[in-house]
Amino acid sequence: MPPPSAPASHHLRLWWRRRGRAGAVGATFAVALLLALSSYASVVFPASGGRRGPALVGLTLVRRASEKGSLMFPATPHSLVLKFQFQILNSRSFVLRTLCLDGSAPGYHLQRGSGSVSQSWLIHLGGGGWCRNLKSCASRQRSMLGSSRYMEGQVEFTGILSDDKSQNPNFYNWNKVKIRYCDGASFSGNVKDELQNGTRFFFRGQRIWEAVMNELVVKGLRNAKQAFLTGCSAGGLATYIHCDSFRALLPKDSRCFFPREVVKHVVNPVFVLNRAYDAWQVQHALAPEASDPQHSWLDCRLDISKCSSEQLEILQGFRKELHDAISEVKQERDWGFYINSCFVHCQSLNSLTWHSPTSPRVNNKSIAEAVGDWFFDRREVKEIDCEYPCNPTCHNLVFARPFKI
């Protein structure tokens, strides 16, 4: 099931637990998808001694998006990544205004590259679940997930976007872009009508994608020698949608919208980064609260170490389903995957999970090392972790019980 919207006012406390050693942090949590959709979780970790903080990168708004032409690129779950030497196809003009849900301008954050890779680009599509009805979409219009008026003027670039070589050895000095997510439908809407039940909505995520790409082309993307498209959560789904210009081929009522089906038709090399036990999926798709009136899954949903033997058996079946879905890419020579057994959600934008001395590892490789090995053709990367709780390097999320009012 796709993730519903999750209001920013829904606060949970969460901890990262590493096999019993937990550090407390505050957070606002939400969302994920089959191969991961994104969380609002704001996780704070202790600063490493002597290491500078992450770079702050300013927000750029696409002020005149409605006047720009649009480009279609081959484009890449939580963190699925696509490697391609891209080709710019014929541009076409459009008359619909390119806007966030509330009518404000879409935006992105750009950090320029340097040195020998000044013509290399890494583009990350932001996540944040879907708004599933007009009420939840209206709520998003008053948040950064539906309006650039609520977006931060600057954001930290961490994980795969970090400019710290020790944290991001393969891509630290590339041109890096984070495209903000504000359409509520994984950068896929293209609706002409604006008035819905007396309220204006702009479901035009496809236009946002095209307008931002068009602007980045002018800023140097047209000269890129290599490009790397990534996405997390709802942005991960968006990478599937835009891969190989696949979006135009999807019937409106087709299950091909989901990654397990889309991946069968993707032509370009893809790298799938995922968890076997995605925290959001376990909480909202495998064992949602609405289907558990007796709260028999409550402890398990909040802390995987509290799952009963019967619940763990179900989780292992959940893991097997993921592995079966991955079977589509196992035989693809140029494709890769890295499936660890951690109870988390989204790992590529967090420095602790992406690449650090204590990062989760599979076959002694961190996520950053595995992705770099695949992208630069250093080795074949098709890593599948053993079953929980076998991996002592995992950082497992632990959630506090929700407050009752």
Side-chain angles (χ1 to χ4, degrees):
M1 290 292 291
S5 63
S9 60
H10 180 194
H11 291 281
L12 296 176
R13 297 178 60 208
L14 76 90
W15 290 263
W16 282 97
R17 169 174 289 177
R18 188 186 186 86
R19 295 300 297 274
R21 300 202 307 271
V25 295
T28 307
F29 178 74
V31 309
L33 177 101
L34 169 66
L35 292 179
L37 294 184
S38 174
S39 79
Y40 307 143
S42 175
V43 184
V44 180
F45 298 99
S48 301
R51 181 177 294 169
R52 64 179 177 81
L56 292 173
V57 182
L59 175 67
T60 299
L61 297 179
V62 185
R63 292 290 186 185
R64 303 177 67 187
S66 62
E67 298 177 15
K68 298 179 181 293
S70 61
L71 297 172
M72 293 301 294
F73 288 85
T76 99
H78 112 152
S79 286
L80 175 142
V81 288
L82 162 71
K83 177 177 70 171
F84 59 89
Q85 306 294 332
F86 57 75
Q87 298 176 337
I88 300 177
L89 305 183
N90 293 329
S91 64
R92 67 181 189 279
S93 61
F94 58 87
V95 295
L96 291 181
R97 291 180 292 171
T98 303
L99 302 166
C100 295
L101 275 173
D102 71 329
S104 59
Y108 61 92
H109 303 261
L110 166 62
Q111 184 180 57
R112 289 290 187 177
S114 61
S116 61
V117 293
S118 60
Q119 291 182 308
S120 297
W121 288 72
L122 188 150
I123 299 170
H124 182 87
L125 298 177
W130 302 345
C131 58
R132 56 184 177 177
N133 52 43
L134 293 181
K135 181 178 180 180
S136 65
C137 292
S139 177
R140 282 185 178 234
Q141 290 183 327
R142 300 183 296 276
S143 77
M144 64 182 179
L145 289 176
S147 172
S148 60
R149 297 183 180 95
Y150 295 89
M151 292 177 185
E152 313 94 310
Q154 294 180 315
V155 297
E156 294 182 346
F157 268 24
T158 57
I160 197 173
L161 295 178
S162 174
D163 65 350
D164 187 328
K165 185 176 182 179
S166 67
Q167 296 182 12
N168 190 22
N170 294 298
F171 309 108
Y172 70 96
N173 55 347
W174 284 34
N175 295 286
K176 296 184 293 294
V177 182
K178 180 176 182 178
I179 302 178
R180 299 302 293 264
Y181 175 50
C182 64
D183 70 286
S186 293
F187 296 93
S188 66
N190 194 18
V191 178
K192 178 180 179 180
D193 296 334
E194 299 176 0
L195 202 61
Q196 305 283 341
N197 290 355
T199 302
R200 287 191 180 277
F201 294 94
F202 300 89
F203 299 109
R204 295 176 185 168
Q206 175 73 19
R207 300 289 180 180
I208 292 173
W209 160 260
E210 294 173 353
V212 174
M213 288 295 102
N214 197 40
E215 188 155 308
L216 293 178
V217 163
V218 175
K219 293 188 174 184
L221 189 59
R222 63 160 58 113
N223 299 317
K225 293 181 177 178
Q226 55 185 347
F228 195 16
L229 184 69
T230 78
C232 184
S233 197
L237 173 60
T239 57
Y240 273 116
I241 292 170
H242 294 291
C243 188
D244 302 338
S245 303
F246 194 82
R247 173 66 179 85
L249 303 178
L250 295 177
K252 289 183 173 60
D253 59 349
S254 172
R255 287 191 50 171
C256 291
F257 186 62
F258 291 95
R260 184 169 184 172
E261 299 301 322
V262 172
V263 75
K264 298 176 183 177
H265 308 284
V266 175
V267 175
N268 286 285
V270 170
F271 188 93
V272 180
L273 166 61
N274 209 70
R275 293 106 7 246
Y277 313 95
D278 183 83
W280 191 93
Q281 285 182 283
V282 170
Q283 293 180 340
H284 299 280
L286 180 67
E289 184 177 357
S291 65
D292 183 31
Q294 303 303 317
H295 304 294
S296 59
W297 274 81
L298 178 59
D299 289 339
C300 182
R301 284 197 299 265
L302 301 178
D303 182 350
I304 193 171
S305 70
K306 301 292 179 59
C307 295
S308 67
S309 58
E310 292 81 7
Q311 289 168 335
L312 280 177
E313 185 176 352
I314 293 173
L315 289 178
Q316 304 306 1
F318 180 71
R319 171 180 178 269
K320 184 179 183 302
E321 284 290 315
L322 173 62
H323 290 185
D324 290 344
I326 294 298
S327 64
E328 294 291 339
V329 305
K330 285 183 179 178
Q331 306 305 317
E332 298 286 347
R333 184 176 59 85
D334 294 333
W335 291 36
F337 50 83
Y338 184 100
I339 312 296
N340 63 25
S341 293
C342 306
F343 184 66
V344 293
H345 177 68
C346 281
Q347 301 174 95
S348 63
L349 289 186
N350 189 290
S351 296
L352 182 66
T353 53
W354 174 248
H355 186 66
S356 76
T358 58
S359 288
R361 292 179 175 269
V362 177
N363 290 332
N364 204 32
K365 288 284 185 177
S366 70
I367 296 170
E369 290 169 334
V371 172
D373 286 348
W374 170 80
F375 189 88
F376 295 107
D377 296 317
R378 294 194 285 252
R379 70 180 180 97
E380 182 180 67
V381 181
K382 295 184 177 178
E383 307 287 5
I384 294 184
D385 205 356
C386 50
E387 291 185 352
Y388 173 87
C390 70
N391 190 339
T393 69
C394 277
H395 298 271
N396 295 319
L397 288 173
V398 177
F399 300 86
R401 290 174 177 267
F403 295 105
K404 291 185 178 180
I405 300 176

